[in-house]
Amino acid sequence: LNGLLINSVSQSVIGRKVSIGAVWRESKGQLLRLIGLTILTGIIYMAVAIAMLLAVSVIAAPFLTVSDSSGAVFAAIMVFLVMLGGVGVLLFVYTRLSVASPALMMEKIGVGTAIARSWRLTKGFVLRNFGVLLLAIVIAGVISGVASIPIGFISGLLIQSLGPNSWAAIAIPTFLTGLLTALITPFLAAVTSLLYVDLRMRKEGLDVALIRSTGAGQ
């Protein structure tokens, strides 16, 4: 969605409406690259997490062999600090790569170039972008939490009235949860796409280029 929505979002910021068909025509040539980028960024995040766990193991192992409690306490403190640093690194990498998908789709570039492009675009805006992404995730989490209350209530009623093995008691809450996810996920993707457009406007004057292309199209 981060990749597919960028064509629509980039035109919406200058007041143009783009049809689903137009978005598909602009995007279909890059879909395999988009899938590859999604897999590669997932591997990068996983590598950072594995490196953090290895660092925790290496640092904690010597202290766990100490017989007194001070060694265990010191090991626990070191593990906490390393994990905190690892989470920080993971969030930093996530923020720096957050606009790789929109860059790949909008600029029709390759996977490696999209990662490098995202890294360059987010330079100098890491804290700001992280704040925007975090706020969007918090908003989505609050909406999801509030909406899950009636879904849970409906699920409880169905289980009581129809039994836990009834198809309705299973299918209806699952459908409502899927519908909720289908509403929230595009919101998060649109925020990421807007971040990409905003960064290019600030650094490269994308707004001027989009307005010019609109005039040329007319």
Side-chain angles (χ1 to χ4, degrees):
L1 280 172
N2 286 344
L4 292 173
L5 282 179
I6 183 57
N7 289 304
S8 176
V9 170
S10 64
Q11 297 301 315
S12 296
V13 296
I14 56 173
R16 291 184 65 185
K17 293 183 179 180
V18 183
S19 66
I20 295 176
V23 170
W24 176 250
R25 286 192 298 272
E26 286 291 324
S27 304
K28 62 181 181 180
Q30 290 286 97
L31 287 181
L32 288 178
R33 289 180 177 179
L34 180 61
I35 294 171
L37 177 63
T38 304
I39 294 172
L40 181 57
T41 51
I43 291 172
I44 292 172
Y45 301 145
M46 188 180 299
V48 173
I50 291 173
M52 178 185 68
L53 294 175
L54 290 175
V56 167
S57 301
V58 170
I59 291 174
F63 300 101
L64 294 177
T65 58
V66 179
S67 57
D68 58 0
S69 59
S70 61
V73 172
F74 188 75
I77 294 173
M78 292 302 296
V79 166
F80 173 76
L81 293 176
V82 172
M83 290 187 69
L84 190 64
V87 171
V89 171
L90 186 61
L91 293 175
F92 174 79
V93 173
Y94 172 76
T95 305
R96 294 301 297 268
L97 300 183
S98 59
V99 296
S101 296
L104 179 135
M105 301 299 287
M106 183 78 173
E107 302 174 36
K108 303 295 188 292
I109 54 181
V111 173
T113 307
I115 290 176
R117 183 84 169 113
S118 178
W119 200 268
R120 287 195 300 270
L121 281 174
T122 54
K123 184 179 180 180
F125 293 88
V126 176
L127 289 178
R128 175 182 173 275
N129 289 359
F130 174 73
V132 172
L133 292 170
L134 180 62
L135 179 60
I137 291 171
V138 169
I139 291 173
V142 170
I143 294 173
S144 178
V146 172
S148 64
I149 295 174
I151 293 176
F153 180 73
I154 293 171
S155 177
L157 287 179
L158 290 173
I159 290 173
Q160 287 183 357
S161 59
L162 302 176
N165 296 322
S166 169
W167 70 269
I170 298 173
I172 293 177
T174 302
F175 170 76
L176 293 175
T177 302
L179 182 62
L180 177 62
T181 303
L183 295 174
I184 291 176
T185 305
F187 163 72
L188 295 174
V191 169
T192 304
S193 297
L194 282 171
L195 271 180
Y196 167 79
V197 172
D198 177 72
L199 288 169
R200 287 201 60 191
M201 284 181 174
R202 291 173 183 270
K203 291 190 168 187
E204 301 173 353
L206 177 64
D207 50 341
V208 177
L210 288 173
I211 293 171
R212 286 176 179 172
S213 68
T214 303
Q218 294 174 347

